[in-house]
């Protein structure tokens, strides 16, 4: 019988009821290892389960010593936190794409509706007794009925498809920007930069649900924003850096009828900043929540169950899914 | 050829592009009549189109003189503002039930999702820099995933059915409290007081979309509230008086995990108060908007088109729909 593979797990705090993997691997939890203990196993680690963000202790120096590392399974759908440039050659990285369709999809629709119906604006105005007839009639005119409108989905993966399902139930026309050919019923797939601009021109609501890679960073900048309808609603559930932050802020100030709702924030030093050099939180046409859509779904345990299922495929010698193309991140 | 009927229209401000009714009736707009002119036609008015709330000028004295009045078409879905006790005998009143399914249905789901995902809470906390790890983790635990949960709909008319459609798209089990037999696919219809309590006991989200009549006023009081799950979400899109206000306030203070989201308010002197002797607006588990769901749909013109269609049935001698049972209001 072959020697068991060594599996290193990080972010175990998010993992309730992790199944017993000891028949497949020798399992170590990074959170419970002293530095000397970690040092002693680094060279024998074969695979990893990274529950949340990449652990800082596995820096360039540590990774240089992980010369047996072959496989990394992520708990997150996004892989942009992985230090691809420091990984030993030949490591397969698998994301957890698709595992967040339900909770994050629902959360996305909550932001779409909060923006369309001006829910945060009305609730906050009532609490501040800001309830003049002028405010009332002006904000009332900003309430949008979704039925019959166009929904443009930037990135048509698990979350994008779930959002399309909700959009169809609300009687919207579904458009999608995707590099993949059409595999689910949508009105039209748009591809390439010109396709993106075409889709943005006709969309009443735009949902950003695309992976952050070196191809999508800054995908939506000044030109894309100005292509949109002046009263468009943009919901970002993916990563903040897909939009150019300065162009976005200027567009929002110049177009008070435009709304940006986001659960994701520009990062500072690798963590969500929840603030910005631009005063988004002072704008009436901004809705922000502190990156809770993923964590609230993680709390159900389901995403980690799916990640472990994929890890088990590797451990059993089967082909895992969701293999990340590292060239998109380096 | 018979003499044309006299039609009196009120609330014409909400009516864009009213079709030409002059081939069916002699049309007067209440907003454009002087008091002497109104006095001179009151006795000959045969039918009315009441665009918004019942016009105050048509008080008990005026109504006593409207002895030719036979038919009233309402622009609103609710009839609780009509002074039934002052109407001449034999007047048929038709509501505009069903005309608000789209806009109000969508608005209802916006409140369901804002409550489930704590959107107003997170947005307002960020704006107030109230973003401690403790607030974050506590509020995060309050985020609910709807898929697989139970949706109890109190009043299964046009809006209730639309809400059921959205609930099904979100993978929820649909329960409905309705006096009518089952006519659309729902998991179960509940009837009578014991049925209502049964439904409330198992519902994770409760939507109140029932007409306010003398049978439904105070339908949900202390006993019904205490039957609910402690972390239930109640969305009221109908009329505030369907809930007992004091019992509701006490229940919310005692159960911080319970959420009440409403677009409708208890009335003071016949108008929405948008405030209360109880400090709902100071509660974290309250979401309030200033009765905008109906008006924002009215602004599309569609509800008035449907009301005019029904009025035309009367004018052409056909049978109008949505006839109100006056005994439920007197």
């Amino acid at each position: 019988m072959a020697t068991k593979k060594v599996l290193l797990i990080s972010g175990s705090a998010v993992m309730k009821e992790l199944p017993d993997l000891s028949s497949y691997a020798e399992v170590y939890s990074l959170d419970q290892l002293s530095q000397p203990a970690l040092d002693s196993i680094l060279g024998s680690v074969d695979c990893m389960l990274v529950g949340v963000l990449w652990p800082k202790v596995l820096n360039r120096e540590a990774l240089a010593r992980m010369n047996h590392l072959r496989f990394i399974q992520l708990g997150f759908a996004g892989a942009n936190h992985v230090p691809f440039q420091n990984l030993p050659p030949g490591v397969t990285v698998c994301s957890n794409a698709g595992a967040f369709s339900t909770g994050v999809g629902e959360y996305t629709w909550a932001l779409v509706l909060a923006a369309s119906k001006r829910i945060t604006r009305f609730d906050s105005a009532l609490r501040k007794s800001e309830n003049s007839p002028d405010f009332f009639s002006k904000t009332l005119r900003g309430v949008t009925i979704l039925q019959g409108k166009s929904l443009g989905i930037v990135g048509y993966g698990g979350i994008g498809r779930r959002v399309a399902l909700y959009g169809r139930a609300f009687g919207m026309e579904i458009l999608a920007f995707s590099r993949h050919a059409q595999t689910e019923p949508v009105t039209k797939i748009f591809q390439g930069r010109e396709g993106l601009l075409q889709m943005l021109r006709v969309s009443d609501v735009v949902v950003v649900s695309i992976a952050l890679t070196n191809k999508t960073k800054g995908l939506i900048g000044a030109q894309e924003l100005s292509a949109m309808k002046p009263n468009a609603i943009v919901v970002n559930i993916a990563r903040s850096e897909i939009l150019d932050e300065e162009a976005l802020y200027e567009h929002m100030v110049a177009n008070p009828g435009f709304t940006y709702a986001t659960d994701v924030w520009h990062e500072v030093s690798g963590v969500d900043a929840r603030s910005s050099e631009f005063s988004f939180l002072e704008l009436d046409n901004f809705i922000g929540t502190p990156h809770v859509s993923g964590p609230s779904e993680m709390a159900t345990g389901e995403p980690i169950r799916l990640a472990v299922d994929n890890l088990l495929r590797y451990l059993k010698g089967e082909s895992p899914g969701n293999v990340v193309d590292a060239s998109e991140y380096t």
Side-chain angles (χ1 to χ4, degrees), chain A:
Chain A
M1 185 181 155
T3 316
K4 273 188 195 170
K5 287 172 171 147
V6 174
L7 167 66
L8 181 62
I9 294 180
S10 70
S12 57
V14 301
M15 303 174 195
K16 337 187 251 198
E17 301 159 25
L18 199 63
D20 182 10
L21 298 168
S22 61
S23 55
Y24 301 98
E26 208 174 312
V27 183
Y28 295 90
S29 174
L30 185 62
D31 307 337
Q32 289 160 18
L33 289 177
S34 65
Q35 188 65 49
L38 175 62
D39 287 342
S40 73
I41 65 154
L42 273 184
S44 59
V45 170
D46 174 86
C47 51
M48 290 176 59
L49 173 60
V50 177
V52 288
L53 287 172
W54 187 265
K56 284 180 185 165
V57 65
L58 296 184
N59 56 19
R60 177 193 295 265
E61 291 68 36
L63 279 165
R65 296 169 53 202
M66 297 179 77
N67 48 358
H68 273 82
L69 186 62
R70 294 291 172 269
F71 182 81
I72 298 171
Q73 174 63 50
L74 304 176
F76 281 8
N80 61 303
H81 55 103
V82 176
F84 286 97
Q85 69 286 359
N86 299 334
L87 294 184
V91 175
T92 297
V93 177
C94 289
S95 79
N96 203 5
F100 293 84
S101 311
T102 300
V104 177
E106 289 184 4
Y107 200 96
T108 307
W109 208 250
L111 290 176
V112 166
L113 282 171
S116 307
K117 308 303 180 186
R118 304 284 192 256
I119 302 291
T120 53
R121 202 63 198 98
F122 282 126
D123 180 73
S124 128
L126 283 176
R127 288 176 192 269
K128 292 186 292 193
S129 302
E130 177 197 341
N131 196 24
S132 67
D134 186 54
F135 162 80
F136 180 76
S137 64
K138 190 177 138 201
T139 312
L140 188 63
R141 282 196 300 276
V143 172
T144 304
I145 288 179
L146 295 179
Q147 182 166 289
K149 301 289 199 315
S150 292
L151 171 64
I153 303 173
V154 180
Y156 202 55
I159 294 166
R161 282 155 208 259
R162 180 62 63 98
V163 165
L165 185 154
Y166 301 147
R168 278 193 289 273
F170 276 73
M172 299 184 80
E173 181 186 34
I174 312 297
L175 315 173
F177 175 75
S178 171
R179 59 182 168 177
H180 303 295
Q182 186 155 348
T183 56
E184 269 208 5
V186 308
T187 306
K188 197 172 175 193
I189 290 276
F190 295 81
Q191 297 190 311
R193 182 175 161 70
E194 193 46 50
L196 177 61
L197 286 168
Q198 276 175 25
M199 185 181 84
L200 296 178
R201 274 186 208 109
V202 297
S203 295
D204 299 285
V205 176
V206 174
V207 164
V208 178
S209 50
I210 199 164
L212 177 62
T213 69
N214 53 22
K215 287 179 183 164
T216 63
K217 187 171 180 177
L219 182 70
I220 297 176
Q223 194 185 349
E224 288 72 22
L225 288 163
S226 62
M228 293 184 197
K229 298 184 177 187
N231 59 349
I233 290 166
V234 174
V235 171
N236 188 355
I237 203 72
R239 290 292 180 272
S240 192
E241 291 82 349
I242 291 158
L243 281 88
D244 178 303
E245 191 179 20
E246 183 170 0
L248 173 63
Y249 183 77
E250 287 174 1
H251 187 77
M252 292 178 75
V253 170
N255 296 276
F258 171 94
T259 304
Y260 180 67
T262 184
D263 186 45
V264 292
W265 295 75
H266 284 266
E267 292 185 8
V268 171
S269 316
V271 295
D272 279 4
R274 295 176 200 165
S275 68
S276 166
E277 62 174 303
F278 302 98
S279 309
F280 286 105
L281 287 168
E282 287 169 20
L283 298 178
D284 284 340
N285 53 348
F286 177 82
I287 299 173
T289 63
H291 211 152
V292 289
S293 60
S296 63
E297 180 142 33
M298 196 65 106
T300 67
E302 182 65 9
I304 289 296
R305 272 192 293 279
L306 293 167
V308 169
D309 284 350
N310 206 40
L311 170 65
L312 277 170
R313 283 185 203 109
Y314 167 78
L315 289 172
K316 292 174 180 173
E318 303 166 5
S319 290
N322 285 328
V323 175
V324 171
D325 178 358
S327 74
E328 295 189 342
Y329 295 88
T330 49

